[in-house]
Amino acid sequence: MSATLRASKGAPYARIAGAGGYRPHRVVPNEEILKHIDSSDEWIRSRSGIATRHWAGPEETVAEMSLAAAGKALASAGVAPEQIGAVIVATVTHFMQTPSVATEIAHRLGAGRPAAFDISAACAGFAYGLGVAKSMVVEGSAEYVLVIGVEKLSDFTDKEDRSTAFLFGDGAGAVVVGPSDVPAMGPTVWGSEGDKADVIAQTTPWTEYRDGEVERFPALRQEGQTVFRWAVFEMAKVAAQALEEAGITADDLDVFIPHQANMRIIDSLAKTLKLPEHVAVARDVETTGNTSAASIPLAMERMLASGQAKSGDTALLIGFGAGLVYAATVVTLP
Amino acid sequence: MAASKEEIVAGLAEIVNEIAGIPTEDVAEDKSFTDDLDVDSLSMVEVVVAAEERFDVKIPDDDVKALKTVGDATNYILEHQG
């Protein structure tokens, strides 16, 4: 017979309690990118809006960058490491298949023995992690969840591919998700489109590189026009659905933080969504480049630090990338 | 109701004006989107999506690459409009 089980009991609602970011010390201007590709500063800026990006040095590993961002997020949330019940790390550039980097981060933070795992959802990874963290807090499997988006894309970039060499940057962003008395994270609208798996992908599997079938170390490649069309027009529908499911309209928004893929995508997305003028739009891509899973928390942290956004603001977040995968939600900023 | 060739060219002119800021009278069938009308590869996607909505036509990404001039796009829409 089926025994009667005790139901789990979580918080009534969840919220983002604090955010932090880490940008590597070395700033890389377009001039440096141009040593390897036949292009121009003007072309790069007009196609991407990117002027500079940060590239990590040898000491700035995925784990080190994550620890720096996580420390700031914990401090801003006023949460001690031992209160963390789970660590979720979204990344595609931790070049160690196993164990996950989340366990190392949990250990080195002094978080004790929390649940810890990595997720692979490319540029939507942070937004995926946020949705999972909210579910955990409300379900009761963790009181506080540390969600980190981190990338070292400079290791995963073909510096001679003139369509992508200028796009990517390195960095880490983190938030602490915890209990709330009022709804502060809307429903997650997420999904995947595996029929478009080849639109953004690693050039070749590691095993082909190992076996000498290709000479070049695998890197990210993408079909720019296809990605642009999907990111602007399909993602506008997803973003609009996230607003609707949160029970608000664009007029109620203070801040829009899309994945910082490319300024052209950000601008067209904001235009397609018909965001009112008062909505502050994240444009961190100009000086941070596209940092995949790290881009949303990095942009969030910078907007809060610079005064472009403030605690209590209502923000629409949307991540989208290789898979293809996407996730959008409306949150109250910490 | 299907649009005529003249209506399509005029519609594309309005779209290019909206997206790239080119005066509508400068948009003619022999003009190249990239070379004459300041429409780069990403703006071209916006032109295509606007044209799809306006003329009830589907223009897959693989076909977009072949649309070099306003005339190319006009003929494509004439042949494929719903």
Coordinates of all heavy atoms in Angstrom, one line a residue, chain A residues 33-104:
Chain A
I33 N 41.3 42.8 -31.3 CA 40.6 41.8 -32.1 C 41.0 41.9 -33.5 O 41.1 40.9 -34.2 CB 39.0 42.1 -31.9 CG1 38.6 42.1 -30.5 CG2 38.2 41.0 -32.7 CD1 38.7 40.9 -29.7
L34 N 41.2 43.1 -34.0 CA 41.5 43.4 -35.4 C 42.8 42.8 -35.9 O 43.1 42.8 -37.1 CB 41.3 44.9 -35.7 CG 39.9 45.4 -35.6 CD1 39.9 46.9 -35.6 CD2 39.0 44.8 -36.7
K35 N 43.7 42.4 -34.9 CA 45.0 41.8 -35.3 C 44.8 40.5 -36.0 O 45.6 40.0 -36.7 CB 45.8 41.6 -34.0 CG 46.4 42.9 -33.4 CD 47.1 42.6 -32.1 CE 47.5 43.8 -31.4 NZ 48.0 43.6 -30.0
H36 N 43.6 39.9 -35.7 CA 43.4 38.5 -36.2 C 42.3 38.4 -37.3 O 42.2 37.4 -38.0 CB 42.9 37.6 -35.1 CG 43.9 37.6 -33.9 ND1 45.1 36.9 -33.9 CD2 43.8 38.2 -32.7 CE1 45.7 37.1 -32.8 NE2 45.0 37.9 -32.0
I37 N 41.5 39.5 -37.5 CA 40.5 39.4 -38.6 C 40.6 40.7 -39.4 O 41.0 41.8 -39.0 CB 39.1 39.3 -37.9 CG1 38.8 40.5 -36.9 CG2 38.8 38.0 -37.3 CD1 37.3 40.6 -36.5
D38 N 40.1 40.5 -40.7 CA 40.0 41.7 -41.6 C 38.7 42.4 -41.4 O 37.7 41.9 -41.9 CB 40.2 41.1 -43.0 CG 40.1 42.2 -44.0 OD1 40.3 43.4 -43.7 OD2 39.7 42.0 -45.2
S39 N 38.7 43.4 -40.6 CA 37.5 44.1 -40.3 C 37.9 45.5 -39.8 O 39.0 46.0 -40.1 CB 36.7 43.4 -39.2 OG 35.4 43.9 -39.0
S40 N 36.9 46.2 -39.1 CA 37.3 47.6 -38.6 C 36.5 47.8 -37.4 O 35.5 47.2 -37.1 CB 36.9 48.6 -39.7 OG 35.5 48.7 -39.8
D41 N 37.0 48.8 -36.6 CA 36.3 49.2 -35.4 C 34.9 49.6 -35.7 O 34.0 49.3 -35.0 CB 37.1 50.3 -34.7 CG 36.5 50.8 -33.4 OD1 36.2 50.0 -32.6 OD2 36.3 52.0 -33.3
E42 N 34.8 50.4 -36.8 CA 33.5 50.9 -37.2 C 32.5 49.8 -37.5 O 31.3 49.8 -37.1 CB 33.6 51.9 -38.4 CG 32.4 52.7 -38.7 CD 31.4 52.0 -39.6 OE1 31.8 51.1 -40.4 OE2 30.2 52.3 -39.4
W43 N 33.0 48.8 -38.2 CA 32.2 47.6 -38.6 C 31.7 46.9 -37.4 O 30.5 46.5 -37.2 CB 32.9 46.7 -39.6 CG 32.1 45.7 -40.2 CD1 31.4 45.8 -41.4 CD2 31.7 44.4 -39.7 NE1 30.7 44.6 -41.7 CE2 30.8 43.7 -40.7 CE3 32.0 43.7 -38.5 CZ2 30.3 42.5 -40.5 CZ3 31.5 42.4 -38.3 CH2 30.6 41.8 -39.3
I44 N 32.6 46.6 -36.5 CA 32.3 45.8 -35.2 C 31.3 46.6 -34.4 O 30.3 46.0 -33.9 CB 33.6 45.6 -34.4 CG1 34.5 44.6 -35.1 CG2 33.2 45.0 -33.0 CD1 35.9 44.4 -34.5
R45 N 31.5 47.9 -34.3 CA 30.5 48.7 -33.5 C 29.2 48.8 -34.1 O 28.1 48.7 -33.4 CB 31.1 50.1 -33.3 CG 32.2 50.2 -32.2 CD 32.8 51.6 -32.2 NE 34.0 51.7 -31.4 CZ 34.1 52.2 -30.2 NH1 33.1 52.8 -29.6 NH2 35.3 52.3 -29.6
S46 N 29.1 48.9 -35.4 CA 27.8 49.0 -36.1 C 27.1 47.7 -36.1 O 25.8 47.7 -36.0 CB 28.0 49.6 -37.5 OG 28.5 48.6 -38.4
R47 N 27.8 46.6 -36.1 CA 27.1 45.3 -36.2 C 26.7 44.8 -34.8 O 25.9 43.9 -34.6 CB 27.9 44.2 -36.9 CG 28.2 44.5 -38.3 CD 26.9 44.8 -39.1 NE 27.0 44.6 -40.5 CZ 27.6 45.5 -41.3 NH1 28.1 46.6 -40.8 NH2 27.6 45.4 -42.6
S48 N 27.5 45.2 -33.7 CA 27.3 44.6 -32.4 C 27.2 45.6 -31.3 O 26.7 45.2 -30.2 CB 28.5 43.7 -32.1 OG 29.7 44.5 -31.9
G49 N 27.6 46.8 -31.5 CA 27.6 47.8 -30.4 C 28.7 47.6 -29.4 O 28.7 48.2 -28.3
I50 N 29.6 46.7 -29.7 CA 30.6 46.3 -28.7 C 31.9 47.2 -29.0 O 32.4 47.2 -30.1 CB 31.0 44.8 -28.8 CG1 29.8 44.0 -28.4 CG2 32.2 44.5 -27.8 CD1 29.9 42.5 -28.7
A51 N 32.4 47.8 -27.9 CA 33.6 48.6 -28.0 C 34.7 47.9 -27.3 O 35.9 47.9 -27.8 CB 33.4 50.0 -27.3
T52 N 34.4 47.3 -26.1 CA 35.5 46.6 -25.4 C 34.8 45.4 -24.7 O 33.6 45.3 -24.6 CB 36.1 47.5 -24.3 OG1 35.0 47.9 -23.4 CG2 36.8 48.7 -24.8
R53 N 35.7 44.5 -24.3 CA 35.2 43.3 -23.5 C 36.3 43.0 -22.6 O 37.5 43.4 -22.7 CB 34.8 42.1 -24.4 CG 35.9 41.3 -25.1 CD 36.6 42.1 -26.2 NE 35.7 42.2 -27.4 CZ 35.8 43.2 -28.3 NH1 36.6 44.2 -28.0 NH2 35.0 43.2 -29.3
H54 N 36.0 42.1 -21.6 CA 37.0 41.7 -20.6 C 37.4 40.3 -20.9 O 36.5 39.4 -21.2 CB 36.5 41.7 -19.2 CG 36.1 43.1 -18.7 ND1 36.8 43.8 -17.8 CD2 35.0 43.9 -19.0 CE1 36.3 45.0 -17.6 NE2 35.2 45.1 -18.3
W55 N 38.7 40.0 -20.9 CA 39.2 38.6 -21.1 C 40.0 38.2 -19.9 O 40.8 39.0 -19.4 CB 40.1 38.5 -22.4 CG 39.3 38.4 -23.6 CD1 37.9 38.3 -23.7 CD2 39.8 38.3 -25.0 NE1 37.5 38.2 -25.1 CE2 38.6 38.2 -25.8 CE3 41.1 38.3 -25.5 CZ2 38.8 38.1 -27.2 CZ3 41.2 38.2 -26.9 CH2 40.1 38.1 -27.7
A56 N 39.7 37.1 -19.4 CA 40.3 36.6 -18.1 C 41.7 36.2 -18.3 O 42.1 35.6 -19.4 CB 39.5 35.4 -17.6
G57 N 42.5 36.4 -17.3 CA 43.9 35.9 -17.3 C 43.9 34.5 -16.8 O 42.9 34.0 -16.4
P58 N 45.1 33.9 -16.8 CA 45.2 32.5 -16.3 C 44.7 32.2 -14.9 O 44.2 31.2 -14.6 CB 46.7 32.2 -16.4 CG 47.3 33.2 -17.2 CD 46.4 34.4 -17.2
E59 N 44.9 33.3 -14.1 CA 44.5 33.1 -12.7 C 42.9 33.3 -12.5 O 42.4 32.9 -11.5 CB 45.1 34.2 -11.8 CG 46.6 34.2 -11.9 CD 47.3 33.0 -11.4 OE1 47.0 32.5 -10.3 OE2 48.2 32.4 -12.2
E60 N 42.3 33.9 -13.5 CA 40.9 34.2 -13.4 C 40.1 33.1 -14.0 O 39.5 33.1 -15.1 CB 40.6 35.5 -14.1 CG 41.2 36.7 -13.4 CD 41.1 38.0 -14.2 OE1 41.5 38.0 -15.3 OE2 40.6 39.0 -13.6
T61 N 40.1 32.0 -13.3 CA 39.4 30.7 -13.7 C 37.9 30.9 -13.6 O 37.4 31.8 -12.9 CB 39.9 29.5 -13.0 OG1 39.5 29.7 -11.6 CG2 41.4 29.3 -13.0
V62 N 37.2 30.0 -14.1 CA 35.7 29.9 -14.0 C 35.3 29.9 -12.5 O 34.5 30.6 -12.0 CB 35.1 28.7 -14.8 CG1 33.7 28.4 -14.3 CG2 35.1 29.0 -16.3
A63 N 36.1 29.1 -11.7 CA 35.8 29.0 -10.3 C 36.1 30.3 -9.6 O 35.4 30.8 -8.7 CB 36.6 27.8 -9.7
E64 N 37.3 30.9 -9.9 CA 37.7 32.1 -9.2 C 36.8 33.3 -9.5 O 36.4 34.0 -8.6 CB 39.1 32.5 -9.6 CG 40.2 31.5 -9.2 CD 40.4 31.4 -7.6 OE1 39.9 32.4 -6.9 OE2 40.9 30.4 -7.2
M65 N 36.4 33.4 -10.7 CA 35.4 34.5 -11.1 C 34.1 34.3 -10.4 O 33.5 35.2 -9.9 CB 35.3 34.5 -12.6 CG 36.5 35.0 -13.4 SD 36.2 35.4 -15.1 CE 35.9 33.8 -15.8
S66 N 33.7 33.0 -10.3 CA 32.4 32.7 -9.7 C 32.4 33.0 -8.2 O 31.5 33.6 -7.6 CB 32.1 31.2 -9.8 OG 31.9 30.9 -11.2
L67 N 33.6 32.7 -7.5 CA 33.7 32.9 -6.1 C 33.6 34.4 -5.8 O 33.0 34.9 -4.9 CB 35.0 32.3 -5.6 CG 35.0 30.8 -5.4 CD1 36.4 30.3 -5.3 CD2 34.2 30.4 -4.2
A68 N 34.3 35.2 -6.7 CA 34.3 36.7 -6.5 C 32.8 37.2 -6.6 O 32.4 38.0 -5.8 CB 35.2 37.3 -7.5
A69 N 32.1 36.8 -7.7 CA 30.8 37.3 -7.9 C 29.8 36.8 -6.8 O 29.0 37.5 -6.3 CB 30.2 36.8 -9.2
A70 N 30.0 35.5 -6.4 CA 29.1 34.9 -5.3 C 29.3 35.6 -4.0 O 28.4 35.9 -3.3 CB 29.4 33.4 -5.2
G71 N 30.6 36.0 -3.7 CA 30.9 36.7 -2.4 C 30.1 38.0 -2.4 O 29.5 38.4 -1.3
K72 N 30.1 38.7 -3.5 CA 29.4 40.0 -3.5 C 27.9 39.8 -3.4 O 27.2 40.6 -2.8 CB 29.8 40.7 -4.8 CG 31.2 41.2 -4.9 CD 31.4 42.0 -6.2 CE 32.9 42.2 -6.5 NZ 33.2 42.7 -7.8
A73 N 27.4 38.8 -4.1 CA 26.0 38.5 -4.1 C 25.5 38.2 -2.6 O 24.5 38.7 -2.2 CB 25.6 37.4 -5.0
L74 N 26.3 37.4 -2.0 CA 26.0 37.0 -0.6 C 26.0 38.2 0.3 O 25.1 38.4 1.2 CB 26.9 35.9 -0.1 CG 26.8 34.5 -0.7 CD1 28.0 33.6 -0.3 CD2 25.5 33.9 -0.1
A75 N 27.0 39.0 0.2 CA 27.2 40.2 1.0 C 26.0 41.2 0.8 O 25.4 41.7 1.7 CB 28.5 40.9 0.7
S76 N 25.6 41.3 -0.5 CA 24.5 42.2 -0.8 C 23.2 41.7 -0.3 O 22.2 42.4 0.0 CB 24.5 42.6 -2.3 OG 23.4 42.0 -3.0
A77 N 23.1 40.4 -0.2 CA 21.8 39.7 0.3 C 21.8 39.7 1.8 O 20.7 39.4 2.4 CB 21.7 38.3 -0.3
G78 N 23.0 39.8 2.4 CA 23.1 39.7 3.8 C 22.8 38.2 4.3 O 22.3 37.9 5.3
V79 N 23.3 37.3 3.4 CA 23.1 35.9 3.7 C 24.5 35.2 3.9 O 25.5 35.5 3.1 CB 22.4 35.2 2.5 CG1 22.4 33.7 2.5 CG2 21.0 35.7 2.4
A80 N 24.7 34.4 4.9 CA 25.9 33.8 5.2 C 26.1 32.5 4.3 O 25.0 31.9 3.9 CB 26.0 33.4 6.6
P81 N 27.3 32.1 3.9 CA 27.5 30.9 3.1 C 26.8 29.7 3.6 O 26.2 28.9 2.8 CB 29.0 30.8 3.1 CG 29.6 32.1 3.3 CD 28.6 32.8 4.2
E82 N 26.8 29.5 4.9 CA 26.2 28.3 5.5 C 24.7 28.3 5.4 O 24.0 27.2 5.6 CB 26.6 28.1 7.0 CG 26.4 29.2 7.9 CD 27.6 30.2 8.0 OE1 28.4 30.3 7.0 OE2 27.8 30.9 9.0
Q83 N 24.1 29.4 5.0 CA 22.6 29.4 4.8 C 22.2 28.9 3.4 O 21.0 28.7 3.2 CB 22.1 30.8 5.0 CG 22.1 31.4 6.5 CD 21.6 32.8 6.5 OE1 22.4 33.7 6.4 NE2 20.3 33.0 6.8
I84 N 23.2 28.8 2.6 CA 22.9 28.4 1.2 C 22.6 26.9 1.1 O 23.4 26.0 1.6 CB 24.1 28.7 0.3 CG1 24.4 30.2 0.2 CG2 24.0 28.0 -1.1 CD1 23.3 30.9 -0.6
G85 N 21.4 26.6 0.6 CA 21.0 25.2 0.5 C 21.3 24.5 -0.9 O 21.2 23.3 -1.0
A86 N 21.6 25.4 -1.8 CA 21.9 24.8 -3.2 C 22.7 25.8 -4.0 O 22.5 27.1 -3.8 CB 20.6 24.5 -3.9
V87 N 23.7 25.3 -4.7 CA 24.5 26.2 -5.6 C 24.3 25.7 -7.1 O 24.5 24.5 -7.4 CB 26.0 26.1 -5.3 CG1 26.8 26.9 -6.3 CG2 26.2 26.6 -3.8
I88 N 23.8 26.6 -7.9 CA 23.5 26.2 -9.3 C 24.5 27.1 -10.2 O 24.5 28.3 -10.0 CB 22.1 26.5 -9.7 CG1 21.1 25.7 -8.8 CG2 21.8 26.2 -11.2 CD1 19.6 26.1 -9.1
V89 N 25.3 26.5 -11.0 CA 26.2 27.2 -11.9 C 25.8 27.0 -13.3 O 25.8 25.8 -13.8 CB 27.6 26.8 -11.6 CG1 28.5 27.6 -12.6 CG2 28.0 27.1 -10.2
A90 N 25.5 28.1 -14.0 CA 25.2 28.0 -15.5 C 26.5 28.4 -16.2 O 27.0 29.5 -16.0 CB 24.1 28.9 -15.8
T91 N 27.0 27.5 -17.0 CA 28.2 27.7 -17.8 C 28.3 26.8 -19.0 O 27.8 25.6 -18.9 CB 29.4 27.7 -16.9 OG1 30.6 28.1 -17.7 CG2 29.7 26.3 -16.4
V92 N 29.0 27.2 -20.0 CA 29.4 26.2 -21.1 C 30.9 26.3 -21.3 O 31.4 25.7 -22.2 CB 28.7 26.5 -22.4 CG1 27.2 26.3 -22.3 CG2 29.0 27.9 -22.9
T93 N 31.6 26.9 -20.4 CA 33.0 27.1 -20.6 C 33.9 26.6 -19.4 O 34.9 27.1 -19.1 CB 33.4 28.5 -21.0 OG1 32.7 29.4 -20.1 CG2 33.0 28.8 -22.4
H94 N 33.3 25.7 -18.6 CA 34.1 25.0 -17.6 C 34.7 23.8 -18.2 O 33.9 22.8 -18.4 CB 33.3 24.7 -16.3 CG 34.0 23.9 -15.3 ND1 33.6 22.7 -14.8 CD2 35.1 24.3 -14.6 CE1 34.5 22.3 -13.9 NE2 35.4 23.2 -13.8
F95 N 36.0 23.8 -18.6 CA 36.5 22.7 -19.5 C 36.9 21.5 -18.7 O 38.0 21.0 -18.8 CB 37.6 23.3 -20.4 CG 37.1 24.2 -21.4 CD1 37.5 25.5 -21.4 CD2 36.2 23.8 -22.3 CE1 37.1 26.4 -22.3 CE2 35.7 24.7 -23.3 CZ 36.1 26.0 -23.3
M96 N 36.0 21.1 -17.8 CA 36.2 19.9 -17.0 C 34.9 19.2 -17.0 O 33.9 19.7 -16.5 CB 36.6 20.3 -15.6 CG 37.1 19.3 -14.7 SD 38.7 18.7 -15.2 CE 38.9 17.5 -13.9
Q97 N 34.8 18.0 -17.7 CA 33.5 17.4 -17.9 C 32.9 17.0 -16.5 O 31.7 17.1 -16.3 CB 33.7 16.1 -18.7 CG 32.4 15.6 -19.3 CD 32.0 16.4 -20.6 OE1 32.9 16.8 -21.4 NE2 30.8 16.7 -20.8
T98 N 33.8 16.5 -15.6 CA 33.3 16.2 -14.3 C 34.4 16.2 -13.3 O 35.6 16.0 -13.7 CB 32.6 14.8 -14.3 OG1 31.9 14.6 -13.1 CG2 33.7 13.7 -14.4
P99 N 34.3 16.6 -12.0 CA 33.0 17.0 -11.4 C 32.6 18.4 -11.8 O 33.3 19.1 -12.5 CB 33.3 17.0 -9.9 CG 34.8 17.3 -9.8 CD 35.4 16.7 -11.1
S100 N 31.4 18.8 -11.4 CA 30.9 20.1 -11.8 C 31.7 21.2 -11.0 O 32.3 20.9 -10.0 CB 29.4 20.2 -11.4 OG 29.3 20.3 -10.0
V101 N 31.6 22.4 -11.5 CA 32.3 23.5 -10.8 C 31.5 23.9 -9.6 O 32.0 24.5 -8.7 CB 32.7 24.6 -11.8 CG1 31.4 25.4 -12.2 CG2 33.7 25.5 -11.2
A102 N 30.2 23.6 -9.6 CA 29.4 24.1 -8.5 C 29.8 23.5 -7.2 O 29.8 24.2 -6.2 CB 27.9 23.7 -8.8
T103 N 30.2 22.3 -7.2 CA 30.7 21.6 -5.9 C 31.9 22.3 -5.4 O 32.0 22.5 -4.2 CB 30.9 20.1 -6.1 OG1 31.8 19.9 -7.2 CG2 29.6 19.4 -6.5
E104 N 32.8 22.6 -6.3 CA 34.1 23.3 -5.9 C 33.7 24.7 -5.3 O 34.3 25.1 -4.2 CB 35.0 23.5 -7.1 CG 36.3 24.2 -6.7 CD 37.2 24.6 -7.9 OE1 37.0 24.0 -9.0 OE2 38.1 25.4 -7.7

